[in-house]
Amino acid sequence: MTSNARRFPEGFLWGAATAAHQIEGSPMADGAGPSIWTRFAHTPGMTVNGDTGDVACDHYNRMKDDVALMAELGLKAYRFSVSWSRILPDGTGRVNQKGLDFYSRLVDELLAKGIEPLLTLYHWDLPAALDDRGGWLNRDIAQWFAEYGSVLYRALDGRVKKWVTLNEPWVVTDGGYLHGALAPGHRSKYETPIATHNLMRAHGAAVQAYREIGKHEIGLVVNIEPKYPNTQSPEDLAATKRAHAYMNEQYLDVALLGKYPPELKNEIFGDAWPEWADEDYALIKQKLDFIGINYYTRSVTEATDSYPLKAGAVRQKLGTYTETGWEVFPQGLTDLLVWAKDRYGNIPTYITENGAAFFDPAVAEEGRVRDPLRMGYLKKHLTAIRNAIDQGCDIRGYMVWSLLDNLEWSLGYSKRFGIVHVNYGTQERTPKDSARWYSKAIQTHGASVDDPLPY
Ligand code: PNW
């Protein structure tokens, strides 16, 4: 028995998410320019097994079938990203109509099947031509990004009603400019705050441009990983506060409150943290129609000498961990949604990514993939979301990461996050049991989330 109070809200958007570089393949097709990820993956030693996005899930050629599969699963929404260098091969200036046509066809296919598109402008694949001009370190990128966004707004607004500027600016800067595990692979404490600030200026400029051209909704997607102290020692508590400011508050604070948390300058970056002009903050702080939150895990934090945070994560003895080493901790999702409501106001919120990589068994003879751990992960996190809704959070939808097994950035094809299995030899798609479970949850408006798992 499911009481109404335990149902998901009317109109709740049930979907799945992907990103261009992770699924499309054919990165140079139809006149596209190279991106920093094409370059990075083709540099020896940068990705596991030297994996690249040259083929990926071949979605660029199989888009129609993939949308048909989404419809078969009963998805109500699909979150995808656009590859900037397909639209503007040089990053600015000349528009590549064939690149634009691909996304226009994708959106038409989705709408024909009653699936609402959520379009992300930037999911990490910067045009290489712009990296040559300094990329996120060049202040002009705010205008470059607004120009790129405007091309898409003019072509697709109305058919697309939900727009996202950036996906996870924290990962872009921490991975791309501080630790170097992601493209463009820089390692500089001095560059990181500059890249952060220009990402957020670009976000602001793209929202401003949207208000001139677009008539629907635009927001920002961030990843949040709640931080819990390992012990109550003053050192661990201070480390937890630093880690939380750096990862969780940095981007939403400046976008919604118009200032960065003071820990960034005072305790983390020190002399590497520049003073920014007031007009920059005015550009960054734009009214947003929604925020998107990507949630995978929490971390338990202790004081360490790690650079530059002086905070590190502790592995709990009793926790369950996914194949990427992330603890399964659904309560963290409830906690963070309540935290965001209290800190930023009850702004409409989508869970724009949530999911897990687990060791999946091979596709069985009868064409099934039994993935009980992923089913359990989805069930627990959907329950956590409903608990947040019960506590008054305005949660409008949920996008599983990911629709398909795909290219996990520098980890290559070694980690499978999909609810649909992809055979990279034949490109055959096989919905895993978690996909069937999720279909039923969608069909029942979430009521079946409470049912015991089938096995
Ligand atoms: C997200 N972290 O990345 C991305 O948006 C996806 O493209 C990616 O495939 C997915 O999560 C799974 O990794 C993240 O360290 C990468 O906290 C790292 C973190 C969070 C999100």
Side-chain angles (χ1 to χ4, degrees), residues 22 123-124 167-168 170-171 223 225 247 294 296 326 353 401 408-409 417:
Q22 295 180 273
H123 200 128
W124 310 357
N167 179 68
E168 301 184 345
W170 180 84
V171 177
N223 57 296
E225 187 180 288
M247 196 163 172
N294 296 349
Y296 290 93
W326 296 345
E353 289 179 25
W401 185 269
E408 181 55 21
W409 305 106
F417 276 88

Side-chain angles (χ1 to χ4, degrees), residues 105-363:
R105 287 197 309 275
L106 167 61
V107 167
D108 284 345
E109 283 296 319
L110 292 167
L111 295 176
K113 305 269 190 212
I115 301 170
E116 163 136 38
L118 271 77
L119 187 158
T120 301
L121 293 174
Y122 187 71
H123 200 128
W124 310 357
D125 44 359
L126 188 72
L130 295 183
D131 194 49
D132 291 342
R133 294 156 75 183
W136 293 109
L137 302 174
N138 186 329
R139 280 180 68 86
D140 292 346
I141 201 165
Q143 290 326 308
W144 303 339
F145 189 59
E147 176 189 333
Y148 158 59
S150 299
V151 172
L152 288 169
Y153 307 151
R154 283 193 198 98
L156 300 176
D157 192 57
R159 285 187 285 158
V160 173
K161 295 181 175 155
K162 290 187 169 55
W163 296 84
V164 169
T165 54
L166 306 173
N167 179 68
E168 301 184 345
W170 180 84
V171 177
V172 174
T173 57
D174 185 82
Y177 290 88
L178 184 63
H179 293 112
L182 302 175
H186 297 198
R187 301 185 64 179
S188 166
K189 177 173 152 180
Y190 292 85
E191 288 181 357
T192 300
I194 299 170
T196 285
H197 193 64
N198 286 332
L199 274 156
M200 297 315 289
R201 289 177 53 252
H203 157 79
V207 174
Q208 264 186 354
Y210 185 73
R211 298 302 176 206
E212 281 167 29
I213 300 168
K215 295 190 171 53
H216 302 277
E217 297 178 4
I218 191 160
L220 170 70
V221 166
V222 294
N223 57 296
I224 303 280
E225 187 180 288
K227 307 291 180 184
Y228 301 81
N230 187 39
T231 72
Q232 295 299 315
S233 74
E235 293 78 15
D236 283 357
L237 289 173
T240 303
K241 198 157 164 286
R242 277 196 298 279
H244 178 61
Y246 174 58
M247 196 163 172
N248 301 330
E249 294 180 335
Q250 177 164 207
Y251 296 91
L252 287 180
D253 271 20
V254 74
L256 298 171
L257 309 177
K259 54 183 198 286
Y260 292 105
E263 290 86 353
L264 295 175
K265 178 182 170 58
N266 299 342
E267 298 174 40
I268 302 167
F269 287 100
D271 68 335
W273 188 267
E275 289 298 329
W276 303 115
D278 288 348
E279 69 242 37
D280 285 2
Y281 290 103
L283 172 64
I284 294 169
K285 188 182 168 193
Q286 298 290 327
K287 183 190 169 291
L288 300 183
D289 301 304
F290 63 88
I291 54 171
I293 288 180
N294 296 349
Y295 177 79
Y296 290 93
T297 188
R298 70 157 168 181
S299 76
V300 176
T301 307
E302 68 175 353
T304 65
D305 56 8
S306 78
Y307 168 89
L309 267 191
K310 300 177 285 297
V314 180
R315 212 173 154 109
Q316 299 296 99
K317 288 199 181 68
L318 296 176
T320 305
Y321 288 80
T322 72
E323 209 198 324
T324 47
W326 296 345
E327 184 186 356
V328 179
F329 194 73
Q331 178 65 41
L333 179 51
T334 312
D335 291 353
L336 92 82
L337 290 170
V338 171
W339 162 80
K341 168 170 75 91
D342 293 346
R343 188 172 181 87
Y344 303 110
N346 209 2
I347 174 164
T349 301
Y350 294 87
I351 307 305
T352 34
E353 289 179 25
N354 173 244
F358 287 111
F359 289 103
D360 293 327
V363 180

